[in-house]
Amino acid sequence: MTITTVEHNRLRQNFEGLSSVWLFGYGSLIYKVDFPFIEQRPATIEGWARRFWQGSHDHRGTPEAPGRVVTLIEQPGALCKGMAYRVSPEVFEHLDIREKNGYLRFSTPMVFHDDSSAEGLVYIATAENAAFLGPAPSVDIARQIARSSGPSGPNSEYLLKLAEALRALGDHDPHVFELESHLR
Ligand code: SIN
């Protein structure tokens, strides 16, 4: 998978004059925080559902045998819980490389647990990207996750750590928890 979104993302938002930007994480960005942040707050976004529909050729799989990681799918009324981080704009240089396999930065309103809100950026891999795999029966998705592994480690670790992090956030994501129970 040689197509990357790094250049596209660089042109998508203008950070000029901003000292910090909110980032919303809903997948590995919840539990693998390999970037500096100023502030961190649990948050929810509306209208998006988390799904293991994105192929991972660079982190949790290989180009020959991609794994599956999460992206967001538009679903009116759906609530997606995650973690928001206030970061300095330079942090996106690192994040764009980390999320290069199909993810584009979108702007979204986020609601914090005290009902205050802010605008944040979220990485979404849309159906148009080359690594998108789309839906499949949950047993098949769990099987693919069970057998995949890449430079960032086993795909199963991604799923189990995400499920654990969502539980810690008090979230009940039926899609993630069903895959977790198939895997176990
Ligand atoms: C995210 O966590 O917000 C994006 C998807 C991922 O990196 O797992």
Side-chain angles (χ1 to χ4, degrees):
M1 190 64 41
T2 50
I3 303 157
T4 86
T5 52
V6 174
E7 293 305 323
H8 296 277
N9 276 324
R10 219 167 265 160
L11 302 170
R12 281 174 80 83
Q13 282 95 21
N14 184 359
F15 295 139
E16 221 176 286
L18 297 180
S19 59
S20 68
V21 179
W22 279 102
L23 161 74
F24 179 80
Y26 58 91
S28 67
L29 289 174
I30 303 179
Y31 65 81
K32 188 181 175 187
V33 189
D34 60 354
F35 52 89
F37 60 87
I38 302 157
E39 188 185 346
Q40 165 185 47
R41 297 179 75 181
T44 300
I45 62 172
E46 196 186 326
W48 296 97
R50 181 172 20 232
R51 293 288 179 267
F52 271 84
W53 289 7
Q54 174 67 3
S56 181
H57 304 72
D58 56 345
H59 282 298
R60 301 291 181 166
T62 61
E64 298 73 37
R68 273 188 182 254
V69 291
V70 290
T71 184
L72 294 180
I73 304 298
E74 260 184 298
Q75 194 181 106
L79 295 176
C80 177
K81 272 195 193 174
M83 187 60 80
Y85 306 89
R86 193 157 64 82
V87 299
S88 76
E90 302 84 71
V91 169
F92 285 93
E93 283 165 33
H94 163 68
L95 294 174
D96 286 351
I97 292 169
R98 173 170 161 174
E99 304 296 325
K100 69 184 186 310
N101 194 30
Y103 292 85
L104 291 174
R105 296 189 221 133
F106 289 85
S107 186
T108 178
M110 314 178 298
V111 178
F112 301 117
H113 287 185
D114 63 1
D115 278 343
S116 63
S117 59
E119 199 70 16
L121 294 182
V122 57
Y123 284 94
I124 298 176
T126 69
E128 287 75 47
N129 88 88
F132 190 78
L133 295 176
S138 56
V139 189
D140 296 347
I141 293 183
R143 275 203 194 105
Q144 185 175 354
I145 291 172
R147 65 170 181 255
S148 300
S149 196
S152 296
N155 204 172
S156 55
E157 181 189 61
Y158 178 106
L159 169 56
L160 297 176
K161 284 197 167 173
L162 178 59
E164 189 184 304
L166 293 177
R167 233 171 255 120
L169 279 175
D171 188 24
H172 183 84
D173 186 321
H175 172 75
V176 174
F177 291 166
E178 190 188 350
L179 293 175
E180 183 197 25
S181 66
H182 283 312
L183 189 78
R184 289 194 191 282

